Structure formats: C-alpha cells, structure tokens
C-alpha cells in the first residue's frame, strides 16, 4: 500500500479486528466465569482454594502465549500473515467450544480440571500467534503518518472482546435462574458454545482477505527470512530491541491492562463482594465509555510519538491504583451501611440449621441457642442492599450477650457479639454505582494510554522479514506472563496477607514502576516512517 493511501484500509481493519476480537472473547469468558467454573471443575470444601486453582488454569493460558508467539510468529514470517492467523482462529474457537463440553468434577473427577487445563493451553498458544499477525497485517497496510491511529483499532479488540464476553454472560444469566445458570450443564456453558458460531463467521471473512502487500513484495523478491527465530534472537541488535520492547514498554503495559480491567472485575466480585449482575454492569459501562480513547491515543502518538503516552499511563497507574481500589472497598463497606440510622426491612432468615431453642421474648427466659448458619438479606431505605451471613459459628447465644437481632415470623433470633458476619451480594445505589463506573473508567483510560500506541511502537522496532516473530514474543511475555499473572498473584497475596486487602496491588505497581524507569531511560520517541524494509 502507498505510504499515504488509505484505500481499502477499512476492510483490512474490519477483517483483522473481528477475528482478533472473537479470539479475545474466547480467551476471557473463562476468567469472567472463574468463580462459577471453580465450583464445577474442582472438589467442594474450600472455595478460596478452588478459585485460586481456577485462576491458576486461567494464568496457564497466559504463560504459554510466548510459545505460541514463537511457533506462529515463525510461520507468519515464513508463509505469510493471512494463513497463520487463520489457523490461530480455528484453534482458539475449537478449544473454547470444547471447554463448554467438559463434564464436571462430580462426573469424571480429576480428569475434568486436566482436560480444561489442556484446552486452556491450546487457547494460549493460539492467542500467542493471533495478535502479532493482526497488528502486523494492519500496520503493513497503513500509511505511515496514520499508523498509530489505524493499528489502534486492533488495540480496541482486547477490551471489546472483554466487553462482548461480559455482555453475553449477562444476557444468558438474565434469562435463567441462579440454579439454572450454575447447574452442572447450566447456562454458564452457553458462552463457550456460542463461540463456534462467531468463529465460523470470522473464518469466512478471513478466507477472503489478501496477503499483506509488504510481505507479498518481500516474498516475490525472495527476501523472506529463512530462519526467523535465529534472526530475531540470534542477532545481537535485534535481540536487544526485543529485550527493550519487553522491559521498557510491554511489561508495564501488560500489568496496567490486566489491573485496570480484569483484576478490577475480580476485585469487585471477590473482595468488595458486589452482586454478580451489577458488578458486570459497572465494567460494561466503564469499558464502553473508555474504548474510543484507544483511537484517541493511537492518533495522538502519530503526532507526538509513542513513548511518553505509554509511560504516562504506567505512571498514573503506579500513583492512583491503591487510592482508587481503596475507595471501591471503603464505599462498599456493608458494616458501615448496617450501622447507619436508616429505615430497613428484614428478609426471611435462611438456613438456621433447626436450632433447638429460641429466645422467648414474652417470658424473657435466658435460654441458650446454638447457631451454625444464619443468612439474612438487608434492604436499606437509601436503596443499598446486601446479604449478611453468620456461617459455621457454633456460637452459644445468651440473653444479654447481643450483637444484633433479626425479626421474622417466629420471633427474635439473637446473635452473639463474638460472631463476625460475612457480607456479599452488595447492590449499590444509582449514585454510588456511577461513582464506581467513573473510577473503573479512569483506570481503563490508563489502559488506553499504554495500549493504544503499543502496536505501532512494536511494528516500527523490527524489519518486515522477522516482524511477526520479533514483535510477538515481547508482547506475549509482557501481557501473557507479567500481565496475565496479575489476577492470580494479586489474589494469592490477598489470601496470604489478609490484614491488607490491597496488598495484591503491589505486584502490578512494582512492575509498572520498573518498566517506567527503564522506558524513560532507554526508549526512543522517534516515529519510524519507513517499515517496508
């Protein structure tokens, strides 16, 4: 394509982006349903261990992405961009569909999580080859003066894939009861099955695509690489660029992306305990409102360079992550809500485990009651709502030793002061929900700053004949390893050091801070106009 022509670029962007979006959708529905999946493919008894195991399988898909980058990057530099990322699409769609067919742990035991792990590894390998191909394909069609803007369309696909995954899950859940959605062969499997239809459409579109003109010219002139791996990593100058791309840009970009979107969703669900649907509504609104800024920062990078836009996004994450996450936690403090002087109504008490004696409020008898599980839903006049649970306490309850009381049809049930409740299924007021949307939106703006320009930045670092391989590896180590481990490491740290619910944030903050320093010192802000060599 002529360096200043935009003819046909819309078709190129659409055909590349649609397939990439679908692959991201396939990759992320697993993480979006981690809590439900943990109950299906692991033994009952320890919810935290099951969730961590599920997140570990989720992370495994990220860890193999660099290997996919090497395998498919090599193919892309040898046989072309088009057929390589067509193959990755087939592998991703097939493995996603099959995850939806794996029987539960109750049905086949340990074979269930092992099969899911195997399919998750195939997903990771496929995604490792997809992104580099799509970004390279678009960049090699784009005019130099708008390369950042046009490649930024590919950058929207990861966030939009997350958006579509959230939307499909919410749509399915809205049509089913809680029991139907979470059943062994319930609605949680539908998003996996739907993938096969989306992939079929994308395969049809990609079959009609032409090869990148830059690569086609190189192939016609017989100048393609004979050994892309050796040329990418065996030559000192190229390998230096790979390391600089990883540690000076993509490592920090990866943790910012996964903290601002993926860990934010996990934190709201598992730490803040926001109700399932409202949690995903918050993410959907924030993502939808922030996504255009990928294009804004991609276009801006064509004018002022890629470096400082990306590094500024990292620095903002380092500074503001703990204050933002701390505000999310503080504003959803159900203990504080409960103690407010507001009108309230009590829902029926569930799961009393047939207590043998109840306190007689008429005779004022001081009788003893053993409580093992009490659950009650609170609705405050302000519109706030939450579930309060006293679980497995074995507590002796006596008159005068009172924390609070619940009123139901049978009288009063008294709870000991020593028993600590757990809160869940919190529903925010409209005003508070929009505040949360705003806070998540701010963090996704950080994402758009680091991610919008990164494709153009990577493409410009490497020559055409080894571009697919060379840019794919640092990208997938930065995102797949450093970024993909954010949910698992952050959750593990929080479960280990329980005194600080924000302790998990030190991992992405530390990685982003280190990357900022390296990038500030060693990255070049020059825009490479010529990438056809």
């Amino acid at each position: 394509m002529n360096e200043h022509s935009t003819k046909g670029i819309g078709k190129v962007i659409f055909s590349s982006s649609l397939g990439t979006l679908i692959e991201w959708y396939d990759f992320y529905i697993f993480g979006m349903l981690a809590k439900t999946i943990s109950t299906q493919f692991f033994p009952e008894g320890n919810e935290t261990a099951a969730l961590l195991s599920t997140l570990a399988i989720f992370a495994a898909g990220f860890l193999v992405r660099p290997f996919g980058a090497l395998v498919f990057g090599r193919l892309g530099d040898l046989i072309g961009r088009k057929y390589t990322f067509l193959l990755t699409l087939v592998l991703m769609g097939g493995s996603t569909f099959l995850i939806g067919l794996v029987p539960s742990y109750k049905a086949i035991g340990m074979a269930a999580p092992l099969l899911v792990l195997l399919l998750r590894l195939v997903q990771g390998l496929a995604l490792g080859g997809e992104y580099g191909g799509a970004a390279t394909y678009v960049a090699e069609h784009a005019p130099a003066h708008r390369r950042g803007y046009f490649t930024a369309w590919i950058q929207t696909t990861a966030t939009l894939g997350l958006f579509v995954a959230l939307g499909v899950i919410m749509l399915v859940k809205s049509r089913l009861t809680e029991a139907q959605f979470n059943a062994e062969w319930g609605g949680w499997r539908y998003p996996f099955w739907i993938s096969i239809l989306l992939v079929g459409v994308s395969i049809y579109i990609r079959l009609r695509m032409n090869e990148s003109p830059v690569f086609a010219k190189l192939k016609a002139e017989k100048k393609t690489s004979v050994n892309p791996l050796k040329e990418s990593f065996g030559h000192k100058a190229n390998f230096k660029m790979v390391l600089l791309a990883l540690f000076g840009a993509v490592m920090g970009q990866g943790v910012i992306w996964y903290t601002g979107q993926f860990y934010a969703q996990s934190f709201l669900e598992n730490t803040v305990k926001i109700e399932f649907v409202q949690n995903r509504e918050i993410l959907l609104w924030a993502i939808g409102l922030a996504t255009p800024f990928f294009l804004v920062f991609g276009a801006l990078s064509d004018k002022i360079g890629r470096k400082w836009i990306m590094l500024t996004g990292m620095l903002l994450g380092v500074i503001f992550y703990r204050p933002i996450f701390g505000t999310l936690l503080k504003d959803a403090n159900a203990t504080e809500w409960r103690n407010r002087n507001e009108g309230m109504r009590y829902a029926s008490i569930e799961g009393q485990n047939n207590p043998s004696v109840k306190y007689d409020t008429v005779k004022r008898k001081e009788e003893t009651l053993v409580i093992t599980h009490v659950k009650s839903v609170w609705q405050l006049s302000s519109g706030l709502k939450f579930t309060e649970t006293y679980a497995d306490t074995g507590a002796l309850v006596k008159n005068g030793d009172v924390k609070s009381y619940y009123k139901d049809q049978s009288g009063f049930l008294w709870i000991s002061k020593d028993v600590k409740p757990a809160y869940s299924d919190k529903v925010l007021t409209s005003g508070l929900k929009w505040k949360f949307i705003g806070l998540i939106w701010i963090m996704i703006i950080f994402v758009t700053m680091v991610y919008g320009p990164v494709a153009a930045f990577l493409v410009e670092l490497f020559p055409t004949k080894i571009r697919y391989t060379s840019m794919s590896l640092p990208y997938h180590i930065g995102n797949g390893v450093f970024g993909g481990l954010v949910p698992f490491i952050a959750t593990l740290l929080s479960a280990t050091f329980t005194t600080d619910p924000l302790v998990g944030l030190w991992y992405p903050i530390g990685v982003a801070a280190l990357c900022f320093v390296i990038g500030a010192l060693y990255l070049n802000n020059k825009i490479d106009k010529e990438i056809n060599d």
Side-chain angles (χ1 to χ4, degrees):
M1 179 173 286
N2 183 283
E3 282 295 296
H4 298 285
S5 172
T6 58
K7 184 180 178 180
I9 191 68
K11 181 181 177 182
V12 169
I13 290 172
F14 177 75
S15 56
S16 301
S17 298
L18 180 63
T20 308
L21 185 153
I22 291 169
E23 289 212 30
W24 284 114
Y25 163 85
D26 288 348
F27 202 67
Y28 286 130
I29 51 176
F30 189 96
M32 291 291 100
L33 292 168
K35 197 168 183 179
T36 301
I37 289 172
S38 69
T39 65
Q40 298 294 331
F41 296 125
F42 292 94
E44 298 176 355
N46 190 327
E47 290 185 9
T48 301
L51 179 61
L52 282 170
S53 298
T54 304
L55 289 174
I57 290 180
F58 180 65
F62 288 93
L63 294 176
V64 298
R65 278 170 56 178
F67 298 101
L70 293 175
V71 172
F72 294 108
R74 178 177 179 274
L75 284 176
D77 284 327
L78 287 173
I79 67 172
R81 298 16 174 159
K82 172 184 173 179
Y83 290 105
T84 301
F85 66 14
L86 186 63
L87 176 59
T88 64
L89 184 63
V90 172
L91 288 173
M92 175 65 85
S95 56
T96 301
F97 179 74
L98 290 173
I99 287 176
L101 295 178
V102 175
S104 69
Y105 181 88
K106 291 180 181 177
I108 60 173
M110 280 304 297
L114 291 176
L115 284 172
V116 172
L117 174 61
L118 177 63
L119 292 169
R120 183 67 186 164
L121 293 176
V122 174
Q123 281 189 323
L125 288 170
L127 189 61
E130 168 66 23
Y131 172 82
T136 300
Y137 188 79
V138 172
E140 290 177 351
H141 280 83
H145 67 294
R146 301 191 70 189
R147 190 179 297 128
Y149 171 71
F150 285 126
T151 55
W153 284 94
I154 288 293
Q155 303 309 97
T156 67
T157 59
T159 293
L160 288 176
L162 184 62
F163 182 90
V164 173
L166 284 165
V168 169
I169 290 167
M170 286 184 62
L171 182 64
V172 171
K173 200 169 192 310
S174 69
R175 298 292 190 273
L176 302 171
T177 65
E178 191 77 17
Q180 289 173 329
F181 184 82
N182 292 317
E184 184 175 349
W185 289 94
W188 67 270
R189 293 181 182 267
Y190 296 175
F192 291 95
W193 298 339
I194 290 170
S195 168
I196 203 72
L197 301 176
L198 301 177
V199 169
V201 172
S202 188
I203 288 173
Y204 172 76
I205 293 172
R206 283 197 172 178
L207 283 170
R208 300 165 64 88
M209 293 164 59
N210 296 318
E211 183 55 83
S212 154
V214 175
F215 182 83
K217 179 175 180 289
L218 203 70
K219 193 170 184 179
E221 296 171 351
K222 301 186 184 303
K223 293 181 180 179
T224 55
S225 174
V226 177
N227 191 336
L229 293 178
K230 183 178 180 181
E231 289 189 46
S232 294
F233 313 117
H235 294 176
K236 186 177 180 180
N238 281 332
F239 188 57
K240 179 183 176 182
M241 288 295 101
V242 170
L243 294 178
L244 183 58
L246 172 59
F247 295 109
V250 189
M251 176 176 74
Q253 171 261 301
V255 296
I256 294 293
W257 199 101
Y258 284 94
T259 303
Q261 296 179 128
F262 215 90
Y263 182 61
Q265 185 269 327
S266 177
F267 185 83
L268 287 177
E269 181 172 15
N270 299 310
T271 303
V272 183
K273 304 290 186 182
I274 301 297
E275 182 266 339
F276 183 96
V277 172
Q278 191 175 73
N279 175 13
R280 282 144 181 87
E281 282 179 357
I282 291 169
L283 263 293
L284 281 172
W285 275 106
I287 289 171
L289 294 170
T291 294
F293 287 87
F294 285 106
L295 306 179
V296 170
F297 290 114
L300 184 62
S301 76
D302 285 327
K303 300 182 184 300
I304 67 172
R306 329 292 185 197
K307 171 181 174 177
W308 288 109
I309 297 175
M310 295 189 297
L311 294 184
T312 300
M314 293 178 208
L315 183 61
L316 290 173
V318 169
I319 295 170
F320 289 109
Y321 274 160
R322 281 185 66 90
I324 290 175
F325 278 88
T327 301
L328 295 173
L329 199 59
K330 179 179 178 293
D331 285 358
N333 187 335
T335 302
E336 182 180 314
W337 295 353
R338 190 181 181 282
N339 293 334
R340 291 176 183 173
N341 186 22
E342 297 185 25
M344 60 188 71
R345 63 178 174 80
Y346 301 96
S348 298
I349 299 170
E350 303 173 6
Q352 294 181 28
N353 200 34
N354 300 316
S356 56
V357 181
K358 288 186 177 181
Y359 182 76
D360 191 326
T361 58
V362 179
K363 297 180 180 179
R364 309 295 296 175
K365 290 178 64 177
E366 296 184 12
E367 300 207 7
T368 300
L369 171 65
V370 177
I371 304 297
T372 58
H373 187 89
V374 179
K375 182 178 181 182
S376 182
V377 178
W378 290 58
Q379 176 81 56
L380 281 68
S381 58
S382 61
L384 295 168
K385 185 178 178 182
F386 58 92
T387 298
E388 184 179 58
T389 304
Y390 292 86
D392 299 323
T393 64
L396 295 179
V397 181
K398 296 182 179 180
N399 181 33
D401 186 19
V402 177
K403 177 178 176 63
S404 62
Y405 68 89
Y406 298 86
K407 187 176 182 179
D408 65 6
Q409 295 176 349
S410 57
F412 290 89
L413 178 63
W414 300 85
I415 306 296
S416 168
K417 289 178 181 177
D418 298 328
V419 180
K420 303 297 182 185
Y423 296 104
S424 60
D425 295 328
K426 300 173 186 175
V427 177
L428 309 176
T429 62
S430 177
L432 195 53
K433 182 179 82 169
W434 279 102
K435 180 179 179 179
F436 275 41
I437 290 171
L439 291 170
I440 301 298
W441 178 85
I442 290 170
M443 291 195 289
I444 300 178
I445 291 299
F446 303 163
V447 172
T448 65
M449 295 178 74
V450 298
Y451 201 59
V454 78
F457 165 78
L458 290 171
V459 164
E460 291 167 351
L461 280 180
F462 305 105
T464 302
K465 64 179 182 178
I466 58 168
R467 182 172 293 136
Y468 199 146
T469 304
S470 297
M471 72 168 286
S472 292
L473 185 66
Y475 174 84
H476 285 293
I477 293 177
N479 284 270
V481 179
F482 287 101
L485 286 174
V486 167
F488 176 74
I489 291 179
T491 303
L492 181 63
L493 288 172
S494 297
T496 305
F497 304 99
T498 56
T499 55
D500 180 9
L502 304 180
V503 67
L505 292 171
W506 287 119
Y507 168 68
I509 287 173
V511 172
L514 178 61
C515 190
F516 173 84
V517 172
I518 295 172
L521 292 174
Y522 298 109
L523 284 187
N524 191 324
N525 197 42
K526 178 179 176 291
I527 299 173
D528 187 355
K529 297 295 185 181
E530 179 60 62
I531 65 167
N532 295 340
D533 56 337

